[in-house]
Amino acid sequence: MASAKSSRSRPSGHSGVFPVNAVAGAGGGDGGVQLADKLKIFKTDNFDPDSYVQSKCRTMDEKVRNFRSCPKLASSGGGRGAYSFARSQGSEIRHLCSYLQDLKKASAEEMRKSVYANYAAFIRTSKEISDLEGELLSVRNLLSTQSSLIHGLSEGVQIDSLSIGPEASSEQDISTVEDEEPSEIRKWSMDFPDMLDVLLAERRVDEALDALDKAEQIATDAKEKGTLTTTDILALKRTISANRQKLADQLAEAACQSSTCGIELRAAASALKRLGDGPRAHSLLLSAHNQRLQLNMQTIQPSSTSYGGAYTASIAQQVFHVIAQALSDSAEVFGDEPAYMSELVTWATKQAMSFSLLVRRHALASCAAGGGLRGAAECVKIALGYSELLEARGLSLSGVLMKQFRPSIEQALDSNLRRIEESTAALAAADDWVLTYSPTGIRPFSRSSGNLALQPKLSSSAHRFNSMVQLGGSAMDGLQKIFDSYVNLLISALPGTVDDEVNLEGLGNKIVRMAETEEQQLALLANASLLSEELLPRAAMKLYSMNPVRGTDRQNRAAEQREWKRKLHRTVDKLRDSFCRQHALDLIFTDDGDTNLSAEMYINMDNTVEDPEWVPSLIFQELYGKLNKMASIAAEMFVGRERFATLLMMRLTETFMLWLSEDQSFWEEIEEGPRALGPLGLQQFYLDMQFVILFGQGRFLSRHVHQVILNIIDRAMAAFSATGMDPDRVLPSDDWFIDVAHETISRISGKPRVANGEREVNSPTASVSAQSVSSIKSHGSS
């Protein structure tokens, strides 16, 4: 019978125990069994838990029987075989228990998500069900009373119709009552009203409830067995109903007293629930806690001179302590019944909203008006800290609080951002662009060449900017906005950018002190890079720590953080590009607007009678000198951010070479001008390009710029070939270009090539240089 019932209760296709870890993947898209399919077996009307467990253990029973029926195994394996078999079966049982526990947790999680998804309708429906249950209880009691009354009247009419006459009947009844001794039940029912009055007067609630339950049972038995007359049964029921109502009123009155302690309150609620009035009992329980909270709140008065965080902490302690106590009392008396839990959540949400309104009115309002974002953030953090204590017990109110606090935080943020922007602009006007301030919390970097620990530093305006943005609660978009504004100030401090970029967003008419020297201009970039790579991300982490997330929300937040950091880097790139463009143009153009890099400087070489001095052109020597000098300064300024300094030098080289590659007037003269590029001009141009490649290898030259230079050489050699001459016949050997380039590099840098003053043929530098020249020539000839 059990096996047949078990087979009916299982859905078709179900074949035993699911894997233990299958529940963890429920609902995923990885091809696993869906949680809803796993739970179908428990939702059938004819589900039998005993049969289900027996079906899961059938395999183990068969193995036990096989083991016992196998004498060879029992005799040969001995204790080790039995031990191994027991271990294997114990493992299966543990897996089964673990699977059932996981399934229970997953089912509870699915129930919780379902409830939260339709929470408003769930609460409304639960309250309507509770009200309907109370009304049905009242109707049932009324119908029972009316039924008993009608039954009694009908029995009285039947007895009167069967009597011979009224006088004879009265005489017979009186004589019968006088002759018979009253029964024990009749005596108890006659004494019951007085006994109950005593119990109620002495507030012996449990005994009164037991007496009412006993009276209900006696009335039921007397009606079935006929041990009491209908009149006595009706009188007993009226007494029971009246005293139930009287006891309920006493319990409600006791629950509403402010002097009632927690134990008495729970006892009163439990007694009301036992009387059949659970909804009223739960409402009185919450009402009593609310009354207690209001009395405690009267002792906390906000003051204009008091600290907002202290006021927030005081009322948060009262509010969330009462909510936690109500949660405990409700769980102890009513368990986890959905109707009561819904009412509790609604009540707790209302208390949290009232609390948030008090905090906004007496703490956040002043902070928001004055731009005190730090104080506002601390008040919110205190409130959320108390709210998180309830999350471990299944009640989350942080969303309610954040919805109420958000307008005040946004107002404080806007005021604070305006103050930071104005203060930073004023400080930038007086900044000398010297890195003298060490930000707190930054770990020093040790140089590999020694034990000297170097500390990253900021100029005065950047240091003040960093201090002001350590808000602990600033919004990411606002932080990005004011950083953009500060970088625009740094761009305007570069010489030559005010005239070219007068429409910088957010700059307006702000006056900024110019960065005249290269050290000061590199300090602008050091400020921006340190802020974007370390200091601002650390300030943003304080905001994220106030609002922790879980699951997929954590992945979304990580993506937001990466995108926010990319925006910071793009802002810094804007400053870097302005810096590189300014220095590239300073090299290319003179003060009166003439150019230092033109096609004539190469074309005219073949029209002179004097032998040229074979060195790289002056502008390319100046480019290398500038890069070498800036790299030396950057090594001290960009401590721990050497990659940024390297990319900066590469970007400057790229800006310079791209200008040459895209200068239409230069190439029109080379390719279509009245005078063609001659052999000496091609040799000088080739030497200049080789010089850039040699000094840029590993320091100032990226792969992209290397390819740009190769394309420039291709174009020049193609223009030369158009005259009918072969470039390979007029260009010297590879070693010649390497020697001239290295001699110039050694002279500008001040570092000798080798001790004897001659190039070492087998050195790595010579090898790389030779390969570069060979690749250039082969690339050009192809």
Side-chain angles (χ1 to χ4, degrees):
M1 179 66 70
S3 62
K5 190 173 183 180
S6 174
S7 63
R8 288 194 303 269
S9 63
R10 284 199 309 272
S12 61
H14 188 272
S15 58
V17 181
F18 293 110
V20 175
N21 296 326
V23 178
D30 56 354
V33 182
Q34 295 294 328
L35 177 61
D37 296 334
K38 297 178 182 181
L39 297 178
K40 285 182 180 179
I41 190 173
F42 302 105
K43 296 180 180 179
T44 56
D45 296 336
N46 57 348
F47 175 72
D48 186 357
D50 295 333
S51 300
Y52 178 78
V53 174
Q54 290 177 7
S55 68
K56 298 301 178 184
C57 298
R58 185 178 299 120
T59 304
M60 184 182 69
D61 294 339
E62 292 175 357
K63 291 183 179 180
V64 172
R65 288 194 298 270
N66 292 335
F67 179 81
R68 291 177 176 175
S69 62
C70 184
K72 182 178 181 180
L73 176 63
S75 60
S76 62
R80 287 182 298 173
Y83 175 72
S84 176
F85 178 78
R87 286 190 60 187
S88 64
Q89 300 310 310
S91 176
E92 290 185 8
I93 293 174
R94 284 194 299 271
H95 279 292
L96 175 61
C97 294
S98 177
Y99 160 71
L100 293 176
Q101 289 292 333
D102 291 342
L103 192 60
K104 179 181 178 182
K105 293 179 182 178
S107 176
E109 180 66 16
E110 184 185 30
M111 176 65 180
R112 185 183 67 82
K113 291 180 179 179
S114 177
V115 170
Y116 285 167
N118 306 278
Y119 205 65
F122 184 78
I123 293 176
R124 183 174 63 255
T125 304
S126 298
K127 289 184 67 66
E128 292 176 356
I129 291 174
S130 299
D131 297 339
L132 184 60
E133 287 177 349
E135 294 177 0
L136 289 176
L137 180 62
S138 301
V139 171
R140 186 182 65 182
N141 293 336
L142 181 60
L143 290 176
S144 177
T145 304
Q146 291 180 350
S147 177
S148 299
L149 179 60
I150 293 173
H151 183 69
L153 292 176
S154 63
E155 287 183 353
V157 171
Q158 292 176 2
I159 293 173
D160 291 341
S161 63
L162 292 175
S163 61
I164 299 174
E167 296 179 358
S169 177
S170 298
E171 292 176 359
Q172 185 178 358
D173 289 343
I174 293 172
S175 62
T176 302
V177 172
E178 289 178 352
D179 293 339
E180 292 182 359
E181 286 285 337
S183 63
E184 293 294 331
I185 296 177
R186 184 180 179 85
K187 288 181 180 180
W188 188 91
S189 62
M190 294 173 61
D191 296 336
F192 172 71
D194 296 334
M195 176 187 63
L196 198 58
D197 288 338
V198 173
L199 294 176
L200 294 178
E202 295 179 356
R203 297 186 180 276
R204 294 154 64 182
V205 177
D206 292 335
E207 296 181 32
L209 289 172
D210 293 339
L212 289 171
D213 292 342
K214 183 178 180 180
E216 289 279 5
Q217 187 62 40
I218 288 176
T220 302
D221 294 341
K223 182 178 179 180
E224 294 177 356
K225 299 177 181 179
T227 55
L228 289 177
T229 63
T230 303
T231 304
D232 292 335
I233 293 174
L234 291 175
L236 181 59
K237 287 190 174 183
R238 284 195 295 270
T239 302
I240 294 172
S241 178
N243 283 279
R244 278 185 178 276
Q245 186 63 42
K246 184 177 180 180
L247 179 57
D249 294 339
Q250 285 186 2
L251 293 172
E253 181 181 359
C256 294
Q257 297 295 326
S258 59
S259 59
T260 303
C261 64
I263 297 177
E264 295 174 346
L265 179 62
R266 291 190 293 271
S270 179
L272 271 175
K273 181 185 177 184
R274 186 175 171 184
L275 285 172
D277 201 356
R280 183 187 182 189
H282 196 259
S283 298
L284 287 173
L285 179 69
L286 298 180
S287 178
H289 282 291
N290 183 65
Q291 181 181 3
R292 185 174 305 169
L293 175 61
Q294 298 304 320
L295 290 175
N296 295 337
M297 292 289 288
Q298 293 177 2
T299 61
I300 304 175
Q301 296 296 332
S303 174
S304 58
T305 60
S306 63
Y307 169 52
Y311 174 76
T312 303
S314 298
I315 61 174
Q317 183 179 9
Q318 294 292 338
V319 171
F320 290 101
H321 173 72
V322 170
I323 293 177
Q325 189 60 49
L327 184 62
S328 299
D329 292 347
S330 177
E332 181 178 343
V333 178
F334 301 95
D336 55 354
E337 296 184 30
Y340 300 128
M341 286 299 298
S342 299
E343 185 179 10
L344 175 63
V345 171
T346 304
W347 175 83
T349 302
K350 182 179 179 181
Q351 301 304 320
M353 292 182 66
S354 300
F355 160 75
S356 60
L357 291 176
L358 287 175
V359 174
R360 286 181 58 185
R361 184 182 302 119
H362 299 296
L364 295 181
S366 58
C367 295
L373 186 58
R374 187 186 301 275
E378 187 166 355
C379 291
V380 174
K381 189 173 183 179
I382 291 172
L384 293 178
Y386 279 94
S387 175
E388 288 176 359
L389 299 177
L390 298 176
E391 292 188 2
R393 307 175 66 176
L395 183 60
S396 177
L397 300 174
S398 57
V400 178
L401 298 179
M402 288 305 300
K403 183 178 181 180
Q404 298 296 322
F405 291 153
R406 185 172 289 109
S408 298
I409 292 295
E410 291 177 352
Q411 182 183 357
L413 175 63
D414 292 339
S415 301
N416 199 76
L417 293 178
R418 287 194 299 269
R419 180 174 60 85
I420 292 176
E421 188 174 1
E422 294 171 358
S423 300
T424 304
L427 291 167
D431 200 335
D432 56 3
W433 307 120
V434 177
L435 305 180
T436 56
Y437 295 90
S438 299
T440 58
I442 295 294
R443 183 181 63 182
F445 296 95
S446 298
R447 302 186 66 179
S448 58
S449 59
N451 296 325
L452 179 62
L454 298 177
Q455 179 78 9
K457 295 182 179 181
L458 299 169
S459 68
S460 59
S461 64
H463 177 68
R464 181 58 179 164
F465 175 83
N466 175 56
S467 300
M468 288 187 290
V469 299
Q470 303 302 318
L471 307 171
S474 60
M476 306 303 293
D477 292 340
L479 202 57
Q480 171 67 34
K481 180 180 178 181
I482 60 174
F483 180 65
D484 289 344
S485 176
Y486 181 66
V487 169
N488 286 337
L489 290 173
L490 299 181
I491 293 175
S492 66
L494 292 171
T497 57
V498 174
D499 296 333
D500 298 336
E501 303 176 23
V502 293
N503 294 323
L504 284 174
E505 183 181 356
L507 183 58
N509 297 322
K510 297 182 176 67
I511 300 175
V512 182
R513 183 174 179 177
M514 287 293 145
E516 301 292 345
T517 65
E518 293 176 345
E519 289 82 356
Q520 291 176 332
Q521 294 165 16
L522 285 172
L524 303 179
L525 288 158
N527 285 336
S529 64
L530 183 57
L531 286 169
S532 64
E533 293 179 8
E534 294 191 39
L535 302 179
L536 293 184
R538 182 178 298 126
M541 287 303 298
K542 295 181 180 179
L543 171 64
Y544 288 131
S545 64
M546 291 176 55
N547 189 20
V549 295
R550 300 176 179 87
T552 56
D553 292 337
R554 184 180 293 111
Q555 299 176 356
N556 295 335
R557 172 167 293 181
E560 292 176 359
Q561 287 178 323
R562 290 191 296 270
E563 178 61 26
W564 184 76
K565 289 181 180 180
R566 280 194 290 267
K567 290 180 179 179
L568 293 181
H569 292 159
R570 286 196 292 266
T571 301
V572 177
D573 290 345
K574 184 171 61 173
L575 172 63
R576 182 200 62 189
D577 293 344
S578 297
F579 172 88
C580 295
R581 182 169 57 253
Q582 173 223 324
H583 283 276
L585 294 177
D586 287 346
L587 289 170
I588 295 171
F589 294 98
T590 62
D591 295 337
D592 55 4
D594 295 335
T595 179
N596 293 320
L597 180 58
S598 63
E600 285 79 6
M601 60 186 288
Y602 298 107
I603 294 175
N604 292 336
M605 291 186 66
D606 289 277
N607 298 327
T608 59
V609 296
E610 298 179 358
D611 293 335
E613 182 182 359
W614 292 110
V615 293
S617 300
L618 182 60
I619 186 173
F620 290 99
Q621 295 185 46
E622 292 179 353
L623 173 62
Y624 172 64
K626 181 181 284 290
L627 290 171
N628 206 38
K629 180 181 178 182
M630 286 185 177
S632 177
I633 300 172
E636 300 296 331
M637 287 189 176
F638 295 89
V639 179
R641 304 185 309 284
E642 289 79 7
R643 183 175 181 273
F644 181 88
T646 301
L647 293 177
L648 175 63
M649 299 299 106
M650 289 182 176
R651 181 59 176 169
L652 177 55
T653 307
E654 179 182 1
T655 304
F656 184 91
M657 298 308 299
L658 285 177
W659 186 91
L660 175 60
S661 174
E662 298 171 357
D663 185 11
Q664 294 300 323
S665 61
F666 179 91
W667 291 107
E668 286 176 0
E669 290 291 328
I670 294 291
E671 297 171 341
E672 302 174 3
R675 292 177 297 171
L677 181 66
L680 297 180
L682 177 62
Q683 184 174 344
Q684 182 64 52
F685 187 82
Y686 195 91
L687 175 61
D688 292 341
M689 297 300 102
Q690 175 64 17
F691 177 64
V692 175
I693 291 177
L694 289 179
F695 76 66
Q697 286 176 348
R699 296 183 64 192
F700 309 129
L701 204 64
S702 65
R703 293 181 178 178
H704 172 65
V705 180
H706 190 273
Q707 184 61 45
V708 169
I709 296 176
L710 294 180
N711 295 336
I712 291 174
I713 293 174
D714 280 347
R715 193 168 182 180
M717 296 182 74
F720 182 79
S721 299
T723 62
M725 291 184 288
D726 185 5
D728 293 332
R729 292 183 177 273
V730 300
L731 292 178
S733 64
D734 296 348
D735 290 341
W736 184 86
F737 288 103
I738 295 173
D739 284 337
V740 174
H742 275 297
E743 288 295 337
T744 306
I745 293 173
S746 177
R747 174 173 52 82
I748 296 176
S749 63
K751 299 178 181 179
R753 294 170 60 185
V754 290
N756 58 7
E758 296 181 356
R759 176 172 60 89
E760 184 180 350
V761 178
N762 297 325
S763 67
T765 305
S767 176
V768 172
S769 302
Q771 292 176 7
S772 300
V773 175
S774 299
S775 64
I776 292 172
K777 285 189 173 182
S778 62
H779 190 272
S781 61
S782 62

